[in-house]
Amino acid sequence: MAQEQAVKTVKIFDTTLRDGEQSPGNSMNIEEKLRIAKQLEKLNVDVIEAGFPIASEGDFEAVKRIAQTIRGPEIAGLCRSSDKDIDRAWEALQYAGEKGRIHTFIATSDIHMKYKLKMEPGRVLESAVKAVKRAASYTPNVEFSCEDAVRTRLPFLAEVVAAVIDAGATTVNIPDTVGYTIPFEYFDIIRYLKENVANIDKAVISVHCHNDLGLSVANSIAAVQAGAGQVECTINGIGERAGNCSLEEFVMILKTRRDILPFSTNVVTEQLTPASRLLSTITGIMVQPNKAIVGGNAFAHESGIHQHGMLMEKSTYEIMTPESVGLKTSSLVLGKHSGRHAFKKRLEELGYELDDEKLNKSFERFKNLADLKKEVFDEDLDAIMTEETMRNAEKYRLEHITVTCGSFAVATATVQMEIDGVSARTAELGDGPVDATLKAIKKLTKCTGKLQTYNVGSITGGTDAQGEVTVKVAEGDRTVTGRGSSTDIIEASAKAYINALNRLYALRETQALESGSL
Ligand code: KIV
Ligand code: ZN
């Protein structure tokens, strides 16, 4: 009789708020990070890497707030292998108590040690051990990462791993920092450590794969087969350069192929689509339609042959159900006769908890929308929530906009804005209504940022749907994303542009504060 294989639970370490947030266009404010952290709690990930506390005041505050608020998952904070970094990380993480995890790292590959660190291997080893000991003096929950592990000489990698475990690391991470490895090579690296590090069973082996060659998920699967017990990943696969291992893909591979992969995770998979959507709504970065699991087309069966098969028997073309990843067709929730109570109740069901002031503001916005649009869907509410409840105090605010355009008229936009509490108005001509509007806003705000991308989509179906505009604006080495929604796409465009300018302003202020020039 065939023996049932024991199923091993793999820990999910989510780094959306750290490695993910580090990538251009994905920066989030504290309220937004907290909202994502709450969704990660619902997803039931094992660890949330909340940020890099020494990187900025904003990062520090975000890690601290998340450590104070989130109760389910462990909360990790990243730090280099220096006393100052480690102390600062614990200052933010202490609020998570025994669930606080210090994640410290140093590079171990020859190329990084020689050119980046300018340190001999012996000194790198010493620093790693010293850092882990200092971290362990705060908490027994210490993770150590050998940055660029994949390009590290294996005997040296094994030496570092053994030494940091002796020093108190309870998780050792073997990252593919540059997304260079391929599955069988990564499998061999993890196996090598299992076979050549005497104390390896005293720690969990973690893997952290970047997607430069499109192999981050496949490499993570290979590593788990070789004995890794934790996988580091991000929602929608966001992260440095080509991104990190996509959480939803990794988790659904294990769930769907349990027949040959005897591994599971604690993730509540029905929360995957809401998590993906929330992240896109906040960052303004949409996933490509053909993205596995959470792309718009992932469960769409267009061709006649497929549709015919699906009608006969769903499993002909469906290897997992849309329900299992939390994909529901938009449910009609509210309309113009819905009251404050129903509105509040639905928001709570969607995971938003609002104080009275925010509730009043959002309810007013909902009523205005319901006057324009018969049916208000969950997606519309998400858009309202991002605009009304997750934004910091804003320098710029749109008051009014009037546009004239047509096939014969020169497009003209008159824009009135509040800037630092004072109203200002101007008009501009343009190559179309959006161009004229953005020019007027640019003139009023004297913004020097360059518009890099402009995208428009609709939040739900129907001609009365809200338009959703996403823009990317760059100024020097800063890039920000702005989002705006309205049933009028010109207004949505203005709001998105103004949102980006507010973010740019906030970023400029924080950077100036940190460099001491303010
Ligand atoms: O890619 C990497 O090596 C990292 C480490 C800091 C874990 O992000
Ligand atoms: Zn990384």
Side-chain angles (χ1 to χ4, degrees):
M1 209 170 91
Q3 287 258 304
E4 281 238 333
Q5 253 183 309
V7 173
K8 173 178 166 187
T9 305
V10 177
K11 280 189 164 197
I12 295 294
F13 174 109
D14 180 277
T15 183
T16 306
L17 296 175
R18 201 278 298 168
D19 215 323
E21 209 248 350
Q22 243 165 262
S23 56
N26 279 304
S27 63
M28 298 174 225
N29 66 36
I30 294 181
E31 292 308 321
E32 292 168 338
K33 287 183 183 175
L34 203 55
R35 179 74 188 95
I36 297 278
K38 287 185 180 166
Q39 180 59 31
L40 293 171
E41 190 176 27
K42 278 195 184 170
L43 256 183
N44 203 29
V45 301
D46 299 279
V47 187
I48 296 174
E49 185 162 52
F52 195 163
I54 207 162
S56 70
E57 277 304 316
D59 252 53
F60 177 85
E61 272 310 312
V63 176
K64 181 173 160 188
R65 285 273 298 279
I66 291 170
Q68 285 170 329
T69 315
I70 301 295
R71 284 292 156 251
E74 291 171 35
I75 309 298
L78 186 68
C79 46
R80 288 163 298 192
S81 291
S82 78
D83 291 357
K84 217 166 80 196
D85 272 47
I86 295 164
D87 297 349
R88 188 74 171 145
W90 186 249
E91 212 181 316
L93 289 166
Q94 58 181 315
Y95 301 94
E98 60 189 22
K99 295 217 165 180
R101 174 184 294 197
I102 299 181
H103 177 192
T104 183
F105 73 99
I106 194 165
T108 50
S109 64
D110 284 346
I111 189 165
H112 276 233
M113 291 191 291
K114 182 168 175 194
Y115 295 107
K116 187 180 80 170
L117 299 175
K118 300 186 178 23
M119 278 165 83
E120 291 299 319
R123 270 194 58 219
V124 167
L125 181 63
E126 257 171 43
S127 294
V129 168
K130 186 165 167 268
V132 169
K133 284 190 175 158
R134 189 167 187 98
S137 72
Y138 289 119
T139 169
N141 195 347
V142 178
E143 172 164 339
F144 177 80
S145 287
C146 306
E147 194 189 6
D148 204 18
V150 154
R151 294 189 298 171
T152 299
R153 283 175 295 108
L154 284 179
F156 183 57
L157 186 63
E159 196 183 342
V160 175
V161 168
V164 295
I165 295 175
D166 264 348
T170 43
T171 303
V172 283
N173 186 27
I174 312 299
D176 181 15
T177 303
V178 290
Y180 181 67
T181 198
I182 57 174
F184 78 80
E185 181 188 49
Y186 205 37
F187 180 99
D188 286 348
I189 294 173
I190 304 300
R191 260 294 142 87
Y192 177 89
L193 294 175
K194 294 239 13 136
E195 286 166 3
N196 292 280
V197 175
N199 55 2
I200 196 74
D201 290 336
K202 293 204 180 124
V204 173
I205 300 182
S206 181
V207 290
H208 174 113
C209 296
H210 279 272
N211 205 31
D212 300 65
L213 293 173
L215 288 170
S216 57
V217 177
N219 289 335
S220 303
I221 295 284
V224 162
Q225 288 181 295
Q230 174 178 285
V231 168
E232 307 197 355
C233 39
T234 59
I235 304 292
N236 296 342
I238 66 168
E240 285 276 11
R241 306 179 309 278
N244 287 61
C245 170
S246 140
L247 184 150
E248 54 280 359
E249 291 176 24
F250 178 79
V251 165
M252 288 312 288
I253 289 171
L254 293 195
K255 185 162 177 162
T256 309
R257 297 310 311 271
R258 182 72 49 79
D259 56 329
I260 52 166
L261 293 169
F263 307 101
S264 67
T265 68
N266 293 319
V267 167
V268 177
T269 59
E270 290 75 12
Q271 291 295 334
L272 289 171
T273 303
S276 163
R277 252 183 38 204
L278 177 70
L279 181 65
S280 290
T281 309
I282 286 177
T283 60
I285 299 181
M286 300 295 145
V287 297
Q288 87 247 25
N290 59 328
K291 161 114 175 46
I293 318 296
V294 291
N297 293 345
F299 291 91
H301 297 270
E302 288 285 334
S303 96
I305 294 174
H306 288 204
Q307 284 176 352
H308 179 72
M310 288 280 289
L311 286 174
M312 297 295 160
E313 166 57 44
K314 280 200 167 176
S315 60
T316 48
Y317 286 100
E318 199 172 77
I319 58 167
M320 57 198 154
T321 65
E323 293 77 21
S324 68
V325 300
L327 183 67
K328 295 183 222 116
T329 44
S330 281
S331 50
L332 167 63
V333 284
L334 302 165
K336 75 175 182 184
H337 299 298
S338 307
R340 203 181 134 91
H341 183 70
F343 176 69
K344 182 167 182 247
K345 185 161 175 289
R346 187 61 197 155
L347 288 183
E348 281 167 2
E349 283 163 5
L350 291 174
Y352 298 101
E353 290 150 23
L354 305 187
D355 59 28
D356 277 353
E357 193 195 331
K358 284 184 174 165
L359 184 68
N360 289 344
K361 251 177 111 184
S362 313
F363 187 60
E364 194 186 316
R365 175 88 192 269
F366 157 73
K367 278 293 190 188
N368 292 338
L369 180 64
D371 269 343
L372 296 168
K373 182 173 193 289
K374 273 207 307 285
E375 301 166 327
V376 178
F377 297 93
D378 290 349
E379 292 86 337
D380 293 313
L381 295 182
D382 280 334
I384 293 179
M385 286 302 104
T386 352
E387 285 182 24
E388 296 299 332
T389 68
M390 287 186 234
R391 296 199 172 162
N392 291 329
E394 299 189 323
K395 182 178 175 73
Y396 309 114
R397 200 174 63 80
L398 180 69
E399 290 187 328
H400 304 289
I401 177 166
T402 306
V403 170
T404 47
C405 60
S407 55
F408 193 64
V410 177
T412 315
T414 307
V415 174
Q416 184 168 314
M417 288 176 68
E418 193 184 274
I419 303 178
D420 289 327
V422 180
S423 279
R425 187 171 64 168
T426 197
E428 275 289 318
L429 305 178
D431 282 343
V434 173
D435 185 47
T437 302
L438 301 202
K439 273 186 178 155
I441 295 171
K442 202 167 173 165
K443 189 164 148 195
L444 284 172
T445 57
K446 302 183 181 65
C447 151
T448 56
K450 258 198 153 46
L451 181 72
Q452 290 200 317
T453 58
Y454 169 91
N455 287 301
V456 58
S458 79
I459 291 181
T460 55
T463 49
D464 67 348
Q466 287 199 86
E468 180 170 52
V469 173
T470 309
V471 297
K472 213 177 243 187
V473 178
E475 183 190 67
D477 58 357
R478 305 179 191 101
T479 307
V480 293
T481 305
R483 246 195 87 265
S485 60
S486 166
T487 48
D488 175 339
I489 61 157
I490 307 302
E491 185 178 274
S493 307
K495 282 181 167 178
Y497 192 49
I498 291 172
N499 177 227
L501 298 189
N502 275 316
R503 282 172 179 260
L504 207 50
Y505 177 76
L507 202 60
R508 229 185 277 130
E509 289 287 288
T510 327
Q511 288 176 348
L513 253 178
E514 277 159 13
S515 69
S517 59
L518 269 187

